[in-house]
Every structure is written in structure tokens, then in C-alpha cells.
Amino acid sequence: MPHRLLPLLRRIAADPLTHFLALGLVIFGAYAWTHPQSGREQDIVIGEAEMARLRTDATTQWGREPDAQQMQGLVDALLREEVLVREALALGLDRDDTVVRRRLAQKMEFLAQQDVRTPDEADIQAWYQAHPSNYQTPARVVMEQRYFSGPTALQRASAAVQALRRGSDVKGERFMLAGAPVAQDRTTLARDYGESFAEAVWNLPLQQWSEPLASPHGVHLVRLLERHEARPAPLNSVHDTVAADLLNQRIARAREDAYQAALAKYRVTLPTAMEAPVSTSVRPQP
């Protein structure tokens, strides 16, 4: 019997189909070896903690706890999302997706700031004292003005300023920004009248009527009544701003420290002409 099988085995071994099947088995085995799949990796477990999170999120959003049917819908949506995300990752769909990459980077930065401590009162006081120029009441001026518009505005303003300087009471035209004199900083003046107008007003002497000053609105005669220099704002008036600035600084520092620690793990190669990030692990291309 064996001697009858030997020719048959030789014909099978010589058949190209046999070679193809054998090659396929080798490739399949190699893939299975390099891409192991375990039963545990295919498990999707939605535990009590996840259920509690779903219930809490729904209650926060809806203002009431979800009922059983709504909870089932939330679980179904979570399960659908988990399955589709796993399949997308298995296909490598995350690798060339700019939106996904940016979202992952944002999540890493969020993780880096999770342990940042909220500033206490001592921290806020110390930050305020260390950065006094950041928390100042800006310099301000109080002015009165006479306003003129139209083709002859400059001529009428030039005549009016002479009368004002002699002590006459000259009335200008009604103007929406010329109410009772109030203190204004330079930024406000530039916003309302333009930068060149603000520059001219800022350098006027006190209690003297200016030469005619042009703005996008028309022509103005201005007299400074008061000048107030910049001064530190009381802490109680800027407390929340100081606290926010300090917290943001801590978050930025935590993010940068986490990034530099992660960057140190990599050997980065960049084009020679490009400036490399600050890290000893980065080198330009030769």
C-alpha cells in the first residue's frame, strides 16, 4: 500500500496548487504570530462605574435621572461607539486623520494638567505682589470738547478756539460721545476717536484748549480737565483675574513639562534649515 501512495504524493507535491496553499498557510501563520488575538482583547465590558457615569452625565444634561429605557439607549450608544472605535483603530484610520490626531494631542495636554493645584489665597497674594504691573488701573484723562462737522468744520473750529481761549463760551454741535466729562484711558480714546487723536490728546497740557484735532467723526477742540496716572489696582478688585492668571500659568507649565518629558524619549530628525525644538534629543538632518 505505501508503495502505491508514493507516486500520488509526488504528484501532489509537484502540483502548483499545493505550493500556493502551502504559501498561504505560511503567510497566515506569520500574521497570526505577529498579530495575536486573545479572547480578552475582544471583550467589551461595561461595568457599574461606566453605568454610573452615564447616569450622572444624563442627569446633568437633562435635569433628571434617565429611566430604564433611556439608560438602555445610552448603553446601546456607548456600545456602538466602542465597537466602531475599535474597528477604526484596527484599520488604522486614526493614523492619517488630522482631527483625530489633534484631539488625541489635546487629551494628552488635558491629562498633563489634571494634577494642577487650584491657587489658594496665599498663592494669589504672592502672584499679585510679584506681578504688580499686570494689575494696574490704567492712566486716564478727563476732557471736555467742542465738536464741529461738515465741509467748514476746520474753519469754524479755528475761529472757535480763539474765542474759547479768550474766555468766551462757544457751543459746538451735538455729538454722541461728548457727554459729561468722564475719565478715559488711552485705549478707549483710540477705540472711539482713532489712534492719532488719542496720541494728540494724551500729550495736551492741562486746562488749555487744543488746536483743532481731526477724527473720523469730524473736528474737535479738546481741553484736559484732569490727568490720573496709572496705579496698582486693589487686590480685591482684581482677585478673580489674578487667580485665573496664576491657574493658567500653572496649567501652561504642567503642559510644557509633560511635553518636554515626552519629547526626551524620541530622537527627532528635521531638515537642516529648520529650527529644532528645545531638546537634546533633536538633531538636524545631515
Side-chain angles (χ1 to χ4, degrees):
M1 188 70 174
H3 68 278
R4 295 180 180 178
L5 290 176
L6 188 58
L8 177 60
L9 293 175
R10 287 175 178 172
R11 286 198 301 273
I12 293 174
D15 193 331
L17 179 60
T18 302
H19 299 165
F20 177 78
L21 292 175
L23 180 61
L25 288 173
V26 171
I27 294 174
F28 179 79
Y31 181 85
W33 177 264
T34 57
H35 297 76
Q37 299 289 329
S38 67
R40 191 173 69 85
E41 289 177 339
Q42 299 303 315
D43 291 343
I44 296 178
V45 178
I46 300 177
E48 290 300 324
E50 194 67 21
M51 294 291 287
R53 184 187 66 79
L54 289 174
R55 184 176 290 103
T56 299
D57 290 348
T59 301
T60 301
Q61 182 177 353
W62 300 341
R64 57 177 177 79
E65 285 199 8
D67 57 28
Q69 183 176 2
Q70 290 169 331
M71 280 300 299
Q72 184 61 55
L74 293 172
V75 172
D76 290 344
L78 178 62
L79 181 60
R80 181 185 184 88
E81 179 185 87
E82 182 65 24
V83 169
L84 294 178
V85 167
R86 290 192 185 193
E87 290 301 301
L89 292 175
L91 293 173
L93 299 184
D94 59 309
R95 295 170 192 162
D96 299 317
D97 191 311
T98 301
V99 175
V100 171
R101 288 169 56 85
R102 288 176 180 172
R103 180 60 177 159
L104 291 174
Q106 290 171 354
K107 294 195 75 171
M108 288 300 298
E109 290 198 331
F110 178 77
L111 290 175
Q113 70 186 55
Q114 279 190 319
D115 295 330
V116 171
R117 183 173 58 85
T118 301
D120 58 24
E121 288 304 317
D123 297 330
I124 294 170
Q125 179 73 35
W127 180 265
Y128 170 77
Q129 293 176 348
H131 303 84
S133 62
N134 293 349
Y135 309 104
Q136 287 189 332
T137 299
R140 297 177 298 169
V141 295
V142 178
M143 71 179 190
E144 64 172 325
Q145 62 173 300
R146 301 293 187 268
Y147 169 70
F148 303 89
S149 64
T152 62
L154 181 57
Q155 292 86 342
R156 288 185 287 127
S158 298
V161 71
Q162 299 304 321
L164 288 168
R165 287 174 177 175
R166 291 193 301 268
S168 300
D169 187 12
V170 177
K171 302 293 184 183
E173 300 174 27
R174 292 178 62 86
F175 181 48
M176 59 182 178
L177 297 178
V182 295
Q184 302 179 79
D185 59 37
R186 181 164 175 166
T187 300
T188 303
L189 282 175
R191 180 198 67 195
D192 292 342
Y193 296 92
E195 181 58 41
S196 60
F197 180 93
E199 173 73 17
V201 168
W202 211 252
N203 293 306
L204 288 176
L206 287 174
Q207 302 299 334
Q208 295 183 26
W209 284 102
S210 70
E211 293 297 320
L213 301 176
S215 82
H217 308 291
V219 178
H220 311 258
L221 301 176
V222 176
R223 180 168 67 168
L224 292 190
L225 303 177
E226 300 174 21
R227 188 189 306 275
H228 303 280
E229 301 300 328
R231 56 185 176 82
L235 177 57
N236 60 3
S237 68
V238 292
H239 181 278
D240 291 347
T241 301
V242 176
D245 289 348
L246 176 53
L247 180 60
N248 289 335
Q249 188 271 345
R250 288 181 173 179
I251 289 173
R253 174 62 61 83
R255 288 181 172 182
E256 183 61 22
D257 288 348
Y259 168 67
Q260 291 297 335
L263 180 62
K265 300 176 184 177
Y266 298 90
R267 187 181 183 90
V268 181
T269 302
L270 296 174
T272 305
M274 294 188 64
E275 183 179 352
V278 180
S279 173
T280 56
S281 62
V282 180
R283 62 173 184 176
Q285 289 182 355

